[in-house]
Amino acid sequence: MFIIRSATVLVIISIFYVPVFIRKSFGEVNFDQLMFFIYTDGGTIGTDINVLIIFLKWAIIRPVILLILFLVTYKIMKRWNVFPSFMERLFKPIALFCFCAGLIYNVHSLGGFSFPGRYVGQDLMANYFKKVDFKKLQTTEKNNLIMLYVESLENTFSDVEIFGHDLNAPLTDSLGSNEFSLRQAPGTGWTTAGMVASQCGVPLAPFMGNSLGSRDGPILGNLICLGDILDDEGYSQTFLVGPDLKFSGMDKFYLNHGFKFAYGKDEIFKKFVTEDLGTGWGGGIQDDTLLDIAFEIIKLEHKEQKNFNVTIVTTDNHAPDGFLSPRCASQSFKDKISEVIWCTNKTISNFVEKLKNDKILENTVLVVMGDHNFMGEIDGARPFGERAIYFDYIAPKTTEISPKQTQLTHFDVFPTALQMVLGYEIDQLHLGSNIFTVDNESHLKMHDYIFGKNFLIYSDFYRSFW
């Protein structure tokens, strides 16, 4: 009986520490994100070892220490005959109450109590999905595409008062002054979700349809996305990421949407570098090495004089503390998140300059954007929901065209990229607006809807995309 009660107390204490573990590992996390990781087949493969260490520290070791203190206090009070006898008789109802309270605390911390609202209102996609016959939009002049998703990159990092200097200054030097503000919409708040939203124009929200379909099936396999369109146009498409390709279902998205080549840490170790360089998030290679490899691939693709699309995802800026590469450390960068971000941006700037020097950008669109908001704490920054994600581009076709909109969401990147790469002048597509052509009224109306209370509701139409 003593062992059973001790185990019960340990479980209850651990439940209260689970939200702490999640915040320490990933920062702001919602129920959709958690369930996507758990439900997707192989979605947790390649998780960084530090996540496991934080789990041991907060969800096991600390609860065990508190249990020991509780038991020692209990034994002392029993020996001194000061422990209330009725407390033992009430152990079961007290334990049940605490267990239920712990579950409620977990659900609340993940925003779970908002789910009843997902069954109130109209089917969201039926009102806003735009169907386009892309065969009627054929163009003769095409640009190549490089999509660079930078882990957690925000406009906030330009704030001199918070960080002492402009951490995004290297990007400004290479890309020009940034006038854009990308706001994180519901269903776009983690890496895979941000990529899916920007390439397909819809959120990644499992509970919009109450089902993800098959666990090992493609992500939004029945939806036409950017990669599908470029594949139909004959583009060679390559995806690169430092950690495991299976993490968060990245393989299930890209390899099912027109990408022939996809490289994660295992594929990169076999073809490009040794495992000694696996010092980044999840034991993968770090951003500077990843961008070196990407540049060599891009150079080869460009020499072939065939259209290509290379998509890259960095990870060194991952909350809470980032991952300082050995190369950055050798250049006197310190091992803290602001220094990691500063070095990452310098690395990206060098990458852009190499693209310019090799004249690759003369017929290639380069998009540089954050995948989502920084999930960790930033002292002195605006509240999480008010902070803007970084977005900028270099595009040969649009050098003479000024964007009509500078406030955008991930969804807007989809039709905007089609304009820059293929010249498709589509005002609105799926839930996105083309920032070069859409009028203010339509753009604002869509954004008011996206950030309104009836956005991520249950949708049979959304389920059909799976």
Side-chain angles (χ1 to χ4, degrees):
M1 181 64 71
F2 177 77
I3 294 176
I4 294 175
R5 287 188 172 184
S6 298
T8 300
V9 174
L10 180 61
V11 169
I12 291 171
I13 296 172
S14 297
I15 287 174
F16 279 93
Y17 270 109
V18 167
V20 179
F21 149 69
I22 292 174
R23 284 196 299 272
K24 293 288 184 181
S25 300
F26 301 103
E28 296 285 339
V29 173
N30 59 45
F31 206 65
D32 273 315
Q33 178 180 351
L34 180 63
M35 291 310 298
F36 177 81
F37 276 97
I38 294 174
Y39 186 82
T40 302
D41 185 43
T44 59
I45 291 176
T47 301
D48 188 72
I49 187 65
N50 285 328
V51 173
L52 301 178
I53 293 173
I54 294 171
F55 178 80
L56 288 172
K57 178 181 177 181
W58 288 97
I60 295 181
I61 295 176
R62 293 204 175 208
V64 167
I65 292 173
L66 286 175
L67 175 64
I68 292 172
L69 292 174
F70 173 79
L71 292 177
V72 169
T73 303
Y74 169 75
K75 290 291 186 181
I76 292 174
M77 293 179 72
K78 285 283 287 185
R79 176 172 292 184
W80 291 352
N81 201 28
V82 293
F83 189 82
S85 59
F86 70 90
M87 289 293 290
E88 292 192 3
R89 295 194 299 270
L90 294 176
F91 177 81
K92 287 184 179 180
I94 292 174
L96 180 61
F97 173 81
C98 291
F99 180 78
C100 293
L103 292 180
I104 292 171
Y105 173 53
N106 275 263
V107 173
H108 172 71
S109 67
L110 294 168
F113 290 115
S114 65
F115 278 93
R118 296 209 179 177
Y119 295 89
V120 179
Q122 293 180 310
D123 188 311
L124 63 101
M125 292 295 178
N127 296 321
Y128 294 95
F129 183 73
K130 310 289 182 181
K131 289 189 176 181
V132 174
D133 186 353
F134 293 105
K135 292 182 179 179
K136 293 182 178 180
L137 297 173
Q138 299 297 317
T139 56
T140 55
E141 189 177 346
K142 303 174 185 177
N143 283 324
N144 304 311
L145 175 63
I146 302 170
M147 292 280 290
L148 176 54
Y149 294 96
V150 186
E151 172 69 43
S152 303
L153 187 62
E154 291 193 12
N155 290 348
T156 308
F157 300 140
S158 295
D159 195 320
V160 177
E161 292 185 6
I162 296 176
F163 299 102
H165 63 114
D166 181 356
L167 302 183
N168 292 337
L171 301 181
T172 304
D173 292 341
S174 295
L175 300 172
S177 181
N178 180 30
E179 57 184 316
F180 298 100
S181 176
L182 192 155
R183 187 178 171 194
Q184 182 170 295
T188 67
W190 69 96
T191 299
T192 300
M195 292 189 295
V196 168
S198 59
Q199 300 212 17
C200 300
V202 299
L204 185 56
F207 286 94
M208 281 176 61
N210 234 22
S211 172
L212 284 172
S214 174
R215 288 192 67 194
D216 59 352
I219 293 174
L220 299 174
N222 295 330
L223 185 67
I224 294 176
C225 300
L226 180 61
D228 301 304
I229 297 169
L230 295 182
D231 183 46
D232 286 343
E233 292 286 344
Y235 279 65
S236 168
Q237 301 191 87
T238 303
F239 172 69
L240 299 104
V241 63
D244 199 292
L245 185 62
K246 292 182 179 295
F247 182 74
S248 189
M250 288 183 284
D251 60 331
K252 292 176 176 57
F253 177 65
Y254 284 102
L255 291 176
N256 288 284
H257 284 283
F259 281 71
K260 184 178 180 181
F261 305 104
Y263 298 97
K265 69 173 185 178
D266 291 341
E267 295 78 14
I268 290 172
F269 290 150
K270 288 177 183 177
K271 187 168 183 177
F272 299 105
V273 297
T274 66
E275 293 189 21
D276 294 340
L277 290 174
T279 55
W281 196 93
I285 65 169
Q286 297 194 269
D287 295 351
D288 43 18
T289 304
L290 183 70
L291 289 175
D292 285 344
I293 293 170
F295 177 71
E296 294 304 319
I297 291 174
I298 291 166
K299 257 202 328 186
L300 289 174
E301 293 277 14
H302 195 256
K303 285 182 179 179
E304 291 291 324
Q305 295 185 344
K306 295 180 180 179
N307 291 124
F308 66 85
N309 169 23
V310 175
T311 298
I312 313 156
V313 186
T314 74
T315 52
D316 283 1
N317 293 352
H318 200 288
D321 302 315
F323 291 79
L324 188 70
S325 74
R327 201 184 310 182
C328 290
S330 68
Q331 297 172 23
S332 300
F333 287 93
K334 298 176 183 177
D335 193 5
K336 61 180 183 177
I337 187 61
S338 60
E339 294 279 302
V340 173
I341 293 167
W342 175 242
C343 186
T344 296
N345 287 341
K346 279 183 168 291
T347 300
I348 294 169
S349 177
N350 292 335
F351 172 71
V352 176
E353 292 306 313
K354 288 195 294 184
L355 293 173
K356 289 179 179 178
N357 292 337
D358 276 42
K359 303 186 185 305
I360 292 172
L361 296 183
E362 290 181 358
N363 63 344
T364 301
V365 173
L366 170 66
V367 175
V368 179
M369 62 180 290
D371 53 355
H372 51 72
N373 281 120
F374 183 73
M375 293 182 176
E377 296 179 357
I378 303 178
D379 293 336
R382 290 182 178 181
F384 187 83
E386 297 179 13
R387 304 203 307 255
I389 298 168
Y390 184 93
F391 173 85
D392 211 343
Y393 63 85
I394 297 176
K397 275 189 179 179
T398 56
T399 51
E400 303 300 324
I401 306 175
S402 297
K404 292 184 177 181
Q405 312 296 335
T406 57
Q407 306 291 316
L408 67 160
T409 68
H410 287 83
F411 310 130
D412 300 327
V413 178
F414 178 35
T416 299
L418 288 175
Q419 163 88 49
M420 293 190 288
V421 178
L422 298 175
Y424 290 176
E425 296 185 6
I426 307 169
D427 288 346
Q428 290 185 303
L429 181 60
H430 298 190
L431 295 176
S433 301
N434 181 351
I435 65 173
F436 295 106
T437 64
V438 72
D439 61 81
N440 290 334
E441 184 178 353
S442 299
H443 189 61
L444 291 174
K445 182 179 179 181
M446 182 66 80
H447 280 214
D448 287 343
Y449 165 68
I450 289 170
F451 291 102
K453 63 179 181 178
N454 292 324
F455 180 53
L456 295 184
I457 68 168
Y458 180 86
S459 170
D460 286 323
F461 193 70
Y462 184 83
R463 290 186 71 175
S464 71
F465 298 156
W466 294 87

